[in-house]
Amino acid sequence: MSSTVLTRTLTAVLGAALAVSVLTPAATADPPDTAPGQTEPHGWELADQIRKEVKPPRIPQRPFDVTDYGADPTGQADSTEAIADAIDAAAEQGGGKVVVPAGEFHTGAIHLRSNIELHVSDGATVRFSQDPDDYLPAVKTRWEGVELYNYSPFIYAHGAEDVAITGGGTLDGQADDEHWWPWKEESNGDGGVIETEHRDQLFQWAADGVPVEQRRFEDSKLRPNFVQFYESENILVEDVTLTNSPMWMIHPVLSENVTVDGVTLDSPVGPNSDGVNPESSKNVVIKNSSFDNGDDCIAIKSGRNEDGRRIGVPSENIVIHDNTMADGHGGVTIGSEMSGDVYNVFAEDNVMDSENLDRALRIKTNSVRGGTVEQVYFRDNDIPQIGGEVIRINFQYEEGDAGEHTPTVRDIRIENVHSTGGAFGLYLLGYEQSPISDVTIRDSTFADVDTPMELEHVRNLRLENVGINGERYDEVIDVGASG
C-alpha cells in the first residue's frame, strides 16, 4: 500500500473513530516509570534493578589446565575425555577454573558442572567434532521450543549452579555446507528437507502429549544447539567468540540470573544461527556483544504450542544494552516460540547497522502459538542501516490465524530511535479479535523508508513527535483492516 493511500486511510479512520524473583509489574496502557503509590520498580527503573541484581557466578579460581589431563594443543588428537577429566577434577574439589591454554583443541560435547568456569584463553581455539555420534548419549533439551532427548549441545549444563564460559579464545562449531547445515537445506525428495520428518514428528509428539522421556529418534536429523544451559542458574558467558554454529548459539532454557557480556557471535552463514535465545528464562542481561547472524541476533522465546503451555514458564526481565548488530533476520526479536509468554524486555543503546539486518524490533506469533507479550521497552537505539521493517509486529507468522490460542501483544514503548532505510517504518499486523494495542512511539525518526506504515488491527498507536520520511506525526491511531 502506498504512503498516500495509507495517509488517506488513517485520516478516514481517525475521523470516524477518534530480581531477582519478584519483578513482574502489572500492565498499564502507557505507564510512567514510577506510578503513584507503586512500590515495585517499573519501566526503566525495573531495568536498572535487573542490571544491579543479576550477578556473575561465584566460582573458585583454582586452575585446572586441560593439558595436564592429556588434552592435545596441536588438535591432532581428540581431547574430549581430557577436558571432561579436568572438569571432574575441579568439581571434586568444590569447583574451579578449567583452563584451555593457547593452541588448537578438538573435542566432542563438553558438559559443565556446578562451580565450573571453562576459560578459553587468548590464542586458544576449540574445534567441535563434525561427527553426530560425538554428541551422544542423548540429553534432555529443547528444540525449537519443544522438549525431547536429542544430541547434546556442544557445551551443555543441566541443573547447574554457578557456571561460566570465559576468555578471549574461540569456540568453532565447524558447521558448514557438508556438516549439520544440510539437514535444514537439502531436499528429502518428498517436498521437505532432511530434518522435516523428525521435526514434524517432534511437534506431533508434543501435540499428543507423549512423555518427554519417550521423545527420541534413532539417527536424529535435528541439529544441536551450540551452547545450552538447561534448568540452571548464575550463568556467565564472557569475552569468547563463537563461530560456525549448527543452529542457535547461546540458549539458556528454564534458567535464571544469566549474563552474556562482551561475546562475539559470528555465524552469518548457515540456517537458524540465532545469536542469543533466552527461553523461559528470567533475569537475563545481554551487553557489550557483537552479533553477525544468519537468523535473529537475539530471539526471546518461551516454548512452542502445547509444550510451551504445558510447561508454562515465561521469559521475563531481559535487559539488552550496548551491543552491535550486523546481519540477521531481526536485531531484538520475540517469538515465534512464545506460548509461555514474555514480559519485561528492555533494549537500549544498541547499534543495528546492516542492510542485511531485516528488522530492528520484531515480534512474531500466530493463533497456533498464542501467548502474551507485554511491557517491551526500546529506546536510544541507533539504526544507520536496515533492510526491511524498523518495527515489525506480525500475527500472521507461518500458520497465521489457524489456531485457537489468540495471542496478545500490548504495552510497547519506543523512544529516541532513529533509522535510515528499509521497506517499512512500522509494520503492525494484528487480529480483529486481538488488535496490537497500546504502542507508544515518541521522539523518533524513520528516514528513507519505502512505505511509512502498514497497519492492520491496531488500537491506541500513539505517535508523539515522530518523523517518517520528513513528515511529522503527533496523533493516536486506531485502525481495523488494512486499506
Side-chain angles (χ1 to χ4, degrees):
M1 180 173 61
S2 71
S3 58
T4 302
V5 172
L6 178 63
T7 301
R8 287 201 302 265
T9 302
L10 293 179
T11 301
V13 170
L14 289 167
L18 279 193
V20 169
S21 57
V22 289
L23 301 177
T24 308
T28 59
D30 187 13
D33 282 353
T34 305
Q38 185 173 342
T39 57
E40 292 187 352
H42 191 77
W44 288 104
E45 277 193 356
L46 173 56
D48 290 340
Q49 179 161 323
I50 294 166
R51 275 187 278 245
K52 291 176 182 176
E53 295 190 354
V54 172
K55 302 292 187 183
R58 297 179 179 179
I59 299 172
Q61 290 298 287
R62 61 176 73 92
F64 295 81
D65 190 315
V66 297
T67 60
D68 293 340
Y69 296 85
D72 176 14
T74 72
Q76 299 300 306
D78 181 80
S79 294
T80 306
E81 186 175 347
I83 295 171
D85 288 346
I87 291 170
D88 289 345
E92 287 168 4
Q93 294 190 37
K97 185 174 185 176
V98 175
V99 178
V100 181
E104 184 172 312
F105 298 83
H106 182 278
T107 185
I110 296 174
H111 287 190
L112 300 180
R113 298 173 61 178
S114 293
N115 304 306
I116 296 297
E117 174 183 345
L118 178 67
H119 183 81
V120 185
S121 304
D122 285 342
T125 298
V126 178
R127 300 195 192 281
F128 288 87
S129 171
Q130 295 171 321
D131 184 351
D133 288 343
D134 289 334
Y135 303 95
L136 296 174
V139 301
K140 186 179 183 181
T141 183
R142 261 193 196 180
W143 198 90
E144 290 193 2
V146 177
E147 290 190 318
L148 81 160
Y149 281 78
N150 195 37
Y151 297 116
S152 172
F154 291 0
I155 300 179
Y156 178 70
H158 185 194
E161 297 181 6
D162 295 302
V163 61
I165 304 168
T166 67
T170 297
L171 302 169
D172 184 354
Q174 297 204 103
D176 59 27
D177 289 336
E178 296 180 357
H179 305 90
W180 304 116
W181 296 343
W183 296 358
K184 177 67 174 181
E185 297 176 328
E186 292 187 2
S187 173
N188 63 2
D190 192 30
V193 294
I194 292 171
E195 74 176 25
T196 298
E197 180 182 357
H198 286 175
R199 184 177 188 266
D200 290 351
Q201 181 63 72
L202 174 63
F203 295 163
Q204 190 61 52
W205 281 339
D208 294 342
V210 172
V212 175
E213 178 65 35
Q214 297 176 25
R215 301 178 192 175
R216 301 172 182 263
F217 295 104
E218 293 292 331
D219 190 26
S220 173
K221 296 304 179 187
L222 301 181
R223 294 159 292 146
N225 295 160
F226 201 148
V227 175
Q228 186 179 81
F229 304 95
Y230 208 93
E231 296 175 329
S232 296
E233 61 181 325
N234 307 333
I235 295 159
L236 173 66
V237 184
E238 184 177 49
D239 293 340
V240 292
T241 293
L242 283 73
T243 190
N244 300 321
S245 182
M247 196 178 161
W248 298 354
M249 300 186 80
I250 299 177
H251 185 205
V253 182
L254 295 164
S255 293
E256 186 169 343
N257 194 33
V258 179
T259 302
V260 177
D261 185 6
V263 174
T264 299
L265 296 128
D266 177 27
S267 197
V269 180
N272 309 119
S273 57
D274 298 33
V276 180
N277 287 10
E279 184 166 10
S280 299
S281 290
K282 185 175 185 179
N283 301 325
V284 179
V285 175
I286 304 167
K287 60 183 179 179
N288 306 320
S289 294
S290 174
F291 295 81
D292 194 4
N293 296 92
D295 208 304
D296 296 317
C297 296
I298 295 171
I300 300 163
K301 302 175 180 291
S302 60
R304 181 185 180 109
N305 301 357
E306 290 82 3
D307 238 38
R309 290 183 281 273
R310 172 180 64 84
I311 296 167
V313 175
S315 275
E316 56 186 324
N317 302 346
I318 315 291
V319 179
I320 301 160
H321 70 90
D322 292 289
N323 302 286
T324 60
M325 300 172 184
D327 293 4
H329 291 182
V332 175
T333 293
I334 300 172
S336 69
E337 300 87 352
M338 47 158 278
S339 303
D341 303 336
V342 176
Y343 309 116
N344 302 329
V345 176
F346 304 88
E348 66 175 340
D349 296 320
N350 301 288
V351 176
M352 304 176 182
D353 187 8
S354 173
E355 62 182 8
N356 297 316
L357 180 63
D358 294 337
R359 301 107 187 170
L361 175 63
R362 180 188 193 193
I363 302 173
K364 49 182 175 176
T365 186
N366 58 45
S367 62
V368 179
R369 303 283 186 275
T372 294
V373 174
E374 60 186 3
Q375 309 226 345
V376 177
Y377 295 77
F378 192 80
R379 76 177 182 186
D380 299 336
N381 296 295
D382 190 23
I383 309 167
Q385 297 183 84
I386 196 76
E389 304 85 9
V390 183
I391 310 297
R392 179 184 176 102
I393 305 175
N394 181 21
F395 286 14
Q396 299 294 343
Y397 185 76
E398 290 191 343
E399 300 98 329
D401 193 8
E404 300 178 352
H405 303 278
T406 300
T408 298
V409 175
R410 61 192 175 204
D411 300 336
I412 314 296
R413 296 184 68 182
I414 298 162
E415 300 178 66
N416 195 33
V417 170
H418 303 283
S419 70
T420 302
F424 295 88
L426 305 179
Y427 186 93
L428 311 181
L429 303 185
Y431 292 155
E432 181 178 6
Q433 70 272 27
S434 179
I436 298 163
S437 63
D438 304 319
V439 178
T440 298
I441 305 173
R442 61 168 57 102
D443 300 329
S444 297
T445 58
F446 310 127
D448 297 333
V449 296
D450 295 337
T451 301
M453 304 182 220
E454 180 78 12
L455 307 177
E456 184 171 313
H457 302 302
V458 178
R459 184 177 63 210
N460 195 28
L461 169 62
R462 306 176 70 90
L463 304 179
E464 302 174 9
N465 189 30
V466 173
I468 306 180
N469 290 348
E471 182 175 350
R472 178 167 168 163
Y473 293 80
D474 282 288
E475 53 195 310
V476 177
I477 297 172
D478 295 292
V479 62
S482 178

